[in-house]
């Protein structure tokens, strides 16, 4: 059964294969795309990958130095044994950009694992984690034409707030 884990070197091989899939599909404007841009191909090396993993984990720390418009972010990986399936990010609080565009929670599932219910299970499983981080209502946004993500958000109890340009904004109670 897949579950969330903190980013871990245990899924190194599968993670790299997943990133190749995202490159092939031309992923952009996501945490995954930024990881690829800043870490590939160096992260094939075990030590470099371990450093990357610990940076991602440390991004949850409040006092970590970060670009002014970034907020602390907990990243969870959805894995089944040693298989990397997807990732989900919980930003600890909203700033102007996140309120307008990014929301509290972002996620993706590797292309080869899509349409198996993983994103639906991930978002549901993330809500108690968000609650633990002090988020009572989580904002999740998605593009107007992202039918899969819209279904994922609605299945997790998302209530549509509004549609701004090409973005739909939903609020989810974390329970
Ligand atoms: C959107 C995404 C996360 C969905 O992941 P997934 O694991 O395939 O989603 P699920 O299997 O849980 O599917 C949820 C529902 O959406 C439907 N669905 C999934 N992808 C779909 C698509 N491309 N078009 C239409 N419906 C789709 C599924 O059939 C399912 O419907 P159901 O609830 O009626 O059974 C995945 O396609 C992805 O990573 N896309 C790229 C990144 C992205 O868009 N992230 C979200 C940003 S808001």
């Amino acid at each position: 059964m897949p579950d969330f884990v903190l980013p871990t070197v245990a899924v190194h091989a599968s993670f790299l294969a997943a990133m190749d899939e995202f490159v092939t599909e031309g992923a952009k404007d996501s945490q995954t795309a930024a990881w690829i841009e800043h870490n590939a191909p160096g992260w094939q090396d075990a030590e470099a990958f371990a450093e990357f993993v610990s940076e991602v984990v440390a991004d949850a720390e409040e006092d970590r130095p970060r670009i002014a418009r970034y907020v602390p972010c907990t990243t969870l990986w959805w894995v089944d044994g040693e298989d990397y399936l997807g990732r989900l990010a919980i930003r600890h609080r909203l700033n102007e950009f996140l309120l307008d565009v990014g929301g509290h929670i972002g996620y993706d599932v590797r292309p080869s694992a899509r349409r198996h219910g993983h994103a639906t299970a991930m978002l549901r499983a993330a809500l108690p984690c968000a609650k633990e981080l002090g988020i009572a209502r989580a904002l999740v946004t998605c593009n107007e034409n992202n039918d899969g993500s819209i279904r994922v958000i609605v299945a997790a109890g998302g209530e549509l707030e509004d549609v701004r340009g090409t973005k739909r904004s939903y609020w989810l109670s974390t329970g």
Side-chain angles (χ1 to χ4, degrees), residues 22 25 30 87 105-111 113-122 140-143 146-153 155 167:
F22 281 104
E25 86 163 351
S30 67
R87 60 100 208 159
I105 298 179
Y107 46 82
D108 52 39
V109 170
R110 68 186 289 180
R114 289 184 188 159
R115 317 253 348 206
H116 292 285
H118 291 306
T120 303
M122 276 167 50
V140 185
T141 66
C142 73
N143 283 338
N146 194 336
D147 292 338
S149 199
I150 291 170
R151 293 178 92 91
V152 167
I153 297 166
K167 282 272 174 196

Short mmCIF file of all heavy atoms in Angstrom, two decimals, residues 22 25 30 87 105-111 113-122 140-143 146-153 155 167, ligand 1:
data_model
loop_
_atom_site.label_atom_id
_atom_site.label_comp_id
_atom_site.label_asym_id
_atom_site.label_seq_id
_atom_site.Cartn_x
_atom_site.Cartn_y
_atom_site.Cartn_z
N PHE A 22 8.93 12.95 -16.04
CA PHE A 22 8.49 14.36 -16.02
C PHE A 22 9.22 15.18 -17.09
O PHE A 22 8.62 16.06 -17.71
CB PHE A 22 8.72 14.97 -14.63
CG PHE A 22 7.67 14.58 -13.61
CD1 PHE A 22 7.94 13.63 -12.63
CD2 PHE A 22 6.41 15.16 -13.63
CE1 PHE A 22 6.99 13.28 -11.70
CE2 PHE A 22 5.45 14.81 -12.70
CZ PHE A 22 5.73 13.87 -11.72
N GLU A 25 7.58 14.53 -20.37
CA GLU A 25 6.28 15.20 -20.58
C GLU A 25 6.42 16.72 -20.62
O GLU A 25 5.45 17.43 -20.86
CB GLU A 25 5.24 14.75 -19.56
CG GLU A 25 5.24 15.49 -18.27
CD GLU A 25 3.97 15.30 -17.45
OE1 GLU A 25 2.97 14.72 -17.93
OE2 GLU A 25 3.97 15.73 -16.29
N SER A 30 6.47 23.83 -11.55
CA SER A 30 6.13 22.99 -10.40
C SER A 30 7.39 22.77 -9.58
O SER A 30 8.51 23.01 -10.04
CB SER A 30 5.58 21.63 -10.86
OG SER A 30 6.62 20.89 -11.49
N ARG A 87 4.58 13.28 -5.34
CA ARG A 87 4.98 14.15 -4.22
C ARG A 87 3.87 15.16 -3.96
O ARG A 87 3.06 15.46 -4.85
CB ARG A 87 6.30 14.84 -4.48
CG ARG A 87 6.37 15.74 -5.70
CD ARG A 87 6.22 17.20 -5.41
NE ARG A 87 5.65 17.88 -6.57
CZ ARG A 87 5.03 19.04 -6.53
NH1 ARG A 87 4.88 19.68 -5.39
NH2 ARG A 87 4.51 19.58 -7.61
N ILE A 105 -1.33 23.77 -0.93
CA ILE A 105 -0.92 22.39 -1.27
C ILE A 105 -0.74 22.25 -2.78
O ILE A 105 -1.58 22.69 -3.57
CB ILE A 105 -1.99 21.38 -0.78
CG1 ILE A 105 -2.11 21.45 0.76
CG2 ILE A 105 -1.67 19.95 -1.23
CD1 ILE A 105 -3.14 20.51 1.36
N GLY A 106 0.36 21.62 -3.16
CA GLY A 106 0.60 21.29 -4.57
C GLY A 106 1.06 19.85 -4.68
O GLY A 106 1.60 19.31 -3.71
N TYR A 107 0.83 19.23 -5.79
CA TYR A 107 1.18 17.80 -5.91
C TYR A 107 1.33 17.40 -7.37
O TYR A 107 0.85 18.09 -8.28
CB TYR A 107 0.09 16.91 -5.27
CG TYR A 107 -1.31 17.31 -5.66
CD1 TYR A 107 -1.87 16.89 -6.85
CD2 TYR A 107 -2.06 18.16 -4.84
CE1 TYR A 107 -3.15 17.29 -7.22
CE2 TYR A 107 -3.34 18.56 -5.19
CZ TYR A 107 -3.87 18.12 -6.39
OH TYR A 107 -5.14 18.54 -6.77
N ASP A 108 2.04 16.31 -7.57
CA ASP A 108 1.99 15.65 -8.87
C ASP A 108 2.26 14.17 -8.69
O ASP A 108 2.81 13.73 -7.68
CB ASP A 108 2.92 16.29 -9.92
CG ASP A 108 4.35 16.46 -9.47
OD1 ASP A 108 4.87 15.56 -8.79
OD2 ASP A 108 4.96 17.49 -9.82
N VAL A 109 1.82 13.42 -9.68
CA VAL A 109 2.00 11.97 -9.71
C VAL A 109 2.82 11.66 -10.95
O VAL A 109 2.59 12.27 -12.01
CB VAL A 109 0.61 11.26 -9.76
CG1 VAL A 109 0.75 9.77 -10.04
CG2 VAL A 109 -0.14 11.51 -8.45
N ARG A 110 3.78 10.76 -10.85
CA ARG A 110 4.62 10.49 -12.02
C ARG A 110 3.73 9.97 -13.15
O ARG A 110 2.74 9.24 -12.91
CB ARG A 110 5.73 9.49 -11.67
CG ARG A 110 5.26 8.10 -11.35
CD ARG A 110 6.37 7.20 -10.86
NE ARG A 110 7.30 6.85 -11.93
CZ ARG A 110 8.36 6.07 -11.76
NH1 ARG A 110 8.60 5.53 -10.56
NH2 ARG A 110 9.14 5.79 -12.77
N PRO A 111 4.04 10.36 -14.38
CA PRO A 111 3.17 10.02 -15.50
C PRO A 111 2.78 8.53 -15.57
O PRO A 111 1.62 8.21 -15.84
CB PRO A 111 3.97 10.49 -16.71
CG PRO A 111 4.71 11.69 -16.19
CD PRO A 111 5.10 11.33 -14.77
N ALA A 113 2.25 6.47 -13.31
CA ALA A 113 1.41 5.98 -12.20
C ALA A 113 0.07 6.70 -12.15
O ALA A 113 -0.69 6.54 -11.19
CB ALA A 113 2.16 6.16 -10.88
N ARG A 114 -0.24 7.47 -13.19
CA ARG A 114 -1.48 8.25 -13.15
C ARG A 114 -2.71 7.38 -13.40
O ARG A 114 -2.63 6.31 -13.95
CB ARG A 114 -1.41 9.39 -14.18
CG ARG A 114 -0.42 10.44 -13.70
CD ARG A 114 -0.36 11.64 -14.61
NE ARG A 114 0.75 12.49 -14.16
CZ ARG A 114 1.37 13.39 -14.90
NH1 ARG A 114 0.96 13.60 -16.14
NH2 ARG A 114 2.36 14.08 -14.41
N ARG A 115 -3.84 7.90 -12.98
CA ARG A 115 -5.16 7.29 -13.16
C ARG A 115 -5.28 5.98 -12.40
O ARG A 115 -5.94 5.06 -12.84
CB ARG A 115 -5.49 7.10 -14.65
CG ARG A 115 -5.12 8.28 -15.50
CD ARG A 115 -6.08 9.19 -16.06
NE ARG A 115 -7.46 9.07 -16.16
CZ ARG A 115 -8.16 9.70 -17.10
NH1 ARG A 115 -7.55 10.37 -18.04
NH2 ARG A 115 -9.45 9.66 -17.09
N HIS A 116 -4.59 5.93 -11.27
CA HIS A 116 -4.76 4.80 -10.35
C HIS A 116 -5.26 5.27 -8.99
O HIS A 116 -5.17 4.54 -8.01
CB HIS A 116 -3.43 4.06 -10.16
CG HIS A 116 -2.94 3.35 -11.39
ND1 HIS A 116 -3.50 2.17 -11.84
CD2 HIS A 116 -1.99 3.68 -12.29
CE1 HIS A 116 -2.87 1.79 -12.95
NE2 HIS A 116 -1.96 2.70 -13.24
N GLY A 117 -5.71 6.51 -8.92
CA GLY A 117 -6.24 7.03 -7.66
C GLY A 117 -5.19 7.57 -6.70
O GLY A 117 -5.52 7.91 -5.57
N HIS A 118 -3.94 7.67 -7.15
CA HIS A 118 -2.91 8.12 -6.20
C HIS A 118 -3.11 9.57 -5.75
O HIS A 118 -2.99 9.87 -4.56
CB HIS A 118 -1.51 7.95 -6.80
CG HIS A 118 -1.11 6.52 -6.94
ND1 HIS A 118 -1.14 5.63 -5.89
CD2 HIS A 118 -0.69 5.80 -8.02
CE1 HIS A 118 -0.75 4.44 -6.30
NE2 HIS A 118 -0.48 4.52 -7.60
N ALA A 119 -3.39 10.46 -6.68
CA ALA A 119 -3.54 11.86 -6.28
C ALA A 119 -4.73 12.02 -5.33
O ALA A 119 -4.66 12.77 -4.35
CB ALA A 119 -3.71 12.76 -7.51
N THR A 120 -5.80 11.31 -5.61
CA THR A 120 -6.97 11.36 -4.72
C THR A 120 -6.58 10.90 -3.32
O THR A 120 -6.90 11.55 -2.32
CB THR A 120 -8.10 10.46 -5.28
OG1 THR A 120 -8.38 10.90 -6.61
CG2 THR A 120 -9.35 10.53 -4.45
N ALA A 121 -5.85 9.80 -3.25
CA ALA A 121 -5.43 9.27 -1.94
C ALA A 121 -4.43 10.22 -1.28
O ALA A 121 -4.48 10.44 -0.06
CB ALA A 121 -4.81 7.88 -2.13
N MET A 122 -3.54 10.80 -2.07
CA MET A 122 -2.53 11.70 -1.51
C MET A 122 -3.18 12.93 -0.88
O MET A 122 -2.83 13.32 0.24
CB MET A 122 -1.58 12.18 -2.63
CG MET A 122 -0.45 11.22 -2.95
SD MET A 122 0.40 11.63 -4.52
CE MET A 122 0.75 13.33 -4.38
N VAL A 140 -6.31 25.13 -2.18
CA VAL A 140 -5.71 24.34 -3.27
C VAL A 140 -6.19 24.96 -4.58
O VAL A 140 -7.40 25.16 -4.76
CB VAL A 140 -6.10 22.85 -3.20
CG1 VAL A 140 -5.36 22.06 -4.26
CG2 VAL A 140 -5.81 22.28 -1.82
N THR A 141 -5.26 25.27 -5.44
CA THR A 141 -5.63 25.90 -6.72
C THR A 141 -5.26 24.96 -7.87
O THR A 141 -4.38 24.11 -7.72
CB THR A 141 -4.89 27.24 -6.92
OG1 THR A 141 -3.50 26.97 -7.07
CG2 THR A 141 -5.11 28.19 -5.76
N CYS A 142 -5.96 25.13 -8.95
CA CYS A 142 -5.56 24.37 -10.14
C CYS A 142 -6.04 25.09 -11.38
O CYS A 142 -6.89 25.98 -11.31
CB CYS A 142 -6.10 22.95 -10.10
SG CYS A 142 -7.84 22.82 -10.39
N ASN A 143 -5.47 24.72 -12.49
CA ASN A 143 -5.85 25.35 -13.75
C ASN A 143 -7.26 24.90 -14.14
O ASN A 143 -7.66 23.76 -13.90
CB ASN A 143 -4.86 25.00 -14.85
CG ASN A 143 -3.58 25.81 -14.72
OD1 ASN A 143 -3.57 26.87 -14.08
ND2 ASN A 143 -2.50 25.31 -15.27
N ASN A 146 -7.62 21.62 -15.84
CA ASN A 146 -6.99 20.43 -15.27
C ASN A 146 -8.07 19.52 -14.67
O ASN A 146 -8.29 19.46 -13.45
CB ASN A 146 -5.97 20.85 -14.20
CG ASN A 146 -5.04 19.71 -13.82
OD1 ASN A 146 -5.38 18.54 -13.98
ND2 ASN A 146 -3.88 20.04 -13.28
N ASP A 147 -8.74 18.78 -15.55
CA ASP A 147 -9.90 17.99 -15.13
C ASP A 147 -9.54 16.98 -14.04
O ASP A 147 -10.31 16.76 -13.11
CB ASP A 147 -10.50 17.25 -16.33
CG ASP A 147 -11.14 18.21 -17.31
OD1 ASP A 147 -11.48 19.33 -16.90
OD2 ASP A 147 -11.25 17.85 -18.50
N GLY A 148 -8.35 16.37 -14.18
CA GLY A 148 -7.94 15.37 -13.19
C GLY A 148 -7.81 16.00 -11.82
O GLY A 148 -8.35 15.50 -10.83
N SER A 149 -7.12 17.13 -11.75
CA SER A 149 -6.90 17.78 -10.46
C SER A 149 -8.21 18.30 -9.88
O SER A 149 -8.42 18.23 -8.66
CB SER A 149 -5.88 18.91 -10.61
OG SER A 149 -5.35 19.23 -9.35
N ILE A 150 -9.07 18.81 -10.70
CA ILE A 150 -10.37 19.28 -10.21
C ILE A 150 -11.10 18.12 -9.52
O ILE A 150 -11.63 18.25 -8.42
CB ILE A 150 -11.23 19.87 -11.36
CG1 ILE A 150 -10.59 21.18 -11.85
CG2 ILE A 150 -12.67 20.10 -10.92
CD1 ILE A 150 -11.19 21.74 -13.13
N ARG A 151 -11.07 16.96 -10.12
CA ARG A 151 -11.76 15.80 -9.53
C ARG A 151 -11.10 15.40 -8.22
O ARG A 151 -11.78 15.02 -7.25
CB ARG A 151 -11.74 14.62 -10.50
CG ARG A 151 -12.56 14.87 -11.75
CD ARG A 151 -12.47 13.69 -12.70
NE ARG A 151 -13.53 12.73 -12.45
CZ ARG A 151 -14.70 12.77 -13.07
NH1 ARG A 151 -14.96 13.72 -13.93
NH2 ARG A 151 -15.63 11.87 -12.82
N VAL A 152 -9.78 15.47 -8.18
CA VAL A 152 -9.04 15.13 -6.96
C VAL A 152 -9.45 16.07 -5.82
O VAL A 152 -9.73 15.63 -4.69
CB VAL A 152 -7.52 15.25 -7.22
CG1 VAL A 152 -6.72 15.22 -5.93
CG2 VAL A 152 -7.05 14.14 -8.17
N ILE A 153 -9.51 17.36 -6.12
CA ILE A 153 -9.80 18.36 -5.09
C ILE A 153 -11.25 18.22 -4.60
O ILE A 153 -11.52 18.25 -3.40
CB ILE A 153 -9.54 19.79 -5.63
CG1 ILE A 153 -8.06 19.96 -5.99
CG2 ILE A 153 -9.97 20.84 -4.62
CD1 ILE A 153 -7.74 21.19 -6.83
N ALA A 155 -13.10 15.56 -4.72
CA ALA A 155 -13.24 14.29 -3.98
C ALA A 155 -12.74 14.43 -2.54
O ALA A 155 -13.20 13.72 -1.64
CB ALA A 155 -12.48 13.18 -4.69
N LYS A 167 -7.30 30.14 -13.24
CA LYS A 167 -7.10 29.38 -11.99
C LYS A 167 -8.40 29.20 -11.21
O LYS A 167 -9.17 30.17 -11.03
CB LYS A 167 -6.13 30.15 -11.06
CG LYS A 167 -4.69 30.00 -11.44
CD LYS A 167 -4.06 28.77 -10.80
CE LYS A 167 -2.65 28.59 -11.33
NZ LYS A 167 -2.10 27.28 -11.09
C1 LIG B 1 -3.55 15.87 -11.88
C2 LIG B 1 -2.84 14.62 -11.37
C3 LIG B 1 -2.19 14.96 -10.03
C4 LIG B 1 -3.87 13.51 -11.18
O1 LIG B 1 -3.20 12.39 -10.61
P1 LIG B 1 -3.82 10.93 -10.68
O2 LIG B 1 -3.11 10.09 -9.67
O3 LIG B 1 -3.82 10.46 -12.08
O4 LIG B 1 -5.32 11.21 -10.22
P2 LIG B 1 -6.37 10.10 -9.78
O5 LIG B 1 -6.00 8.79 -10.35
O6 LIG B 1 -6.56 10.21 -8.30
O7 LIG B 1 -7.67 10.60 -10.55
C5 LIG B 1 -8.66 11.41 -9.97
C6 LIG B 1 -9.84 11.53 -10.91
O8 LIG B 1 -9.48 12.34 -12.01
C7 LIG B 1 -9.64 11.63 -13.22
N1 LIG B 1 -8.51 12.01 -14.05
C8 LIG B 1 -7.20 11.84 -13.79
N2 LIG B 1 -6.47 12.38 -14.79
C9 LIG B 1 -7.36 12.89 -15.67
C10 LIG B 1 -7.20 13.54 -16.89
N3 LIG B 1 -6.00 13.81 -17.43
N4 LIG B 1 -8.34 13.93 -17.54
C11 LIG B 1 -9.55 13.70 -17.02
N5 LIG B 1 -9.76 13.06 -15.84
C12 LIG B 1 -8.67 12.66 -15.19
C13 LIG B 1 -9.58 10.18 -12.82
O9 LIG B 1 -10.24 9.36 -13.77
C14 LIG B 1 -10.28 10.21 -11.51
O10 LIG B 1 -11.69 10.30 -11.75
P3 LIG B 1 -12.75 9.63 -10.77
O11 LIG B 1 -12.53 10.28 -9.43
O12 LIG B 1 -14.05 9.93 -11.38
O13 LIG B 1 -12.39 8.18 -10.72
C15 LIG B 1 -1.75 14.13 -12.38
O14 LIG B 1 -2.33 14.02 -13.64
C16 LIG B 1 -0.52 15.03 -12.46
O15 LIG B 1 0.44 14.86 -11.71
N6 LIG B 1 -0.57 16.02 -13.39
C17 LIG B 1 0.55 16.95 -13.58
C18 LIG B 1 0.71 17.89 -12.40
C19 LIG B 1 -0.58 18.51 -11.94
O16 LIG B 1 -1.44 18.88 -12.72
N7 LIG B 1 -0.69 18.66 -10.61
C20 LIG B 1 -1.84 19.27 -9.97
C21 LIG B 1 -1.62 20.72 -9.92
S1 LIG B 1 -3.08 21.51 -9.23
#
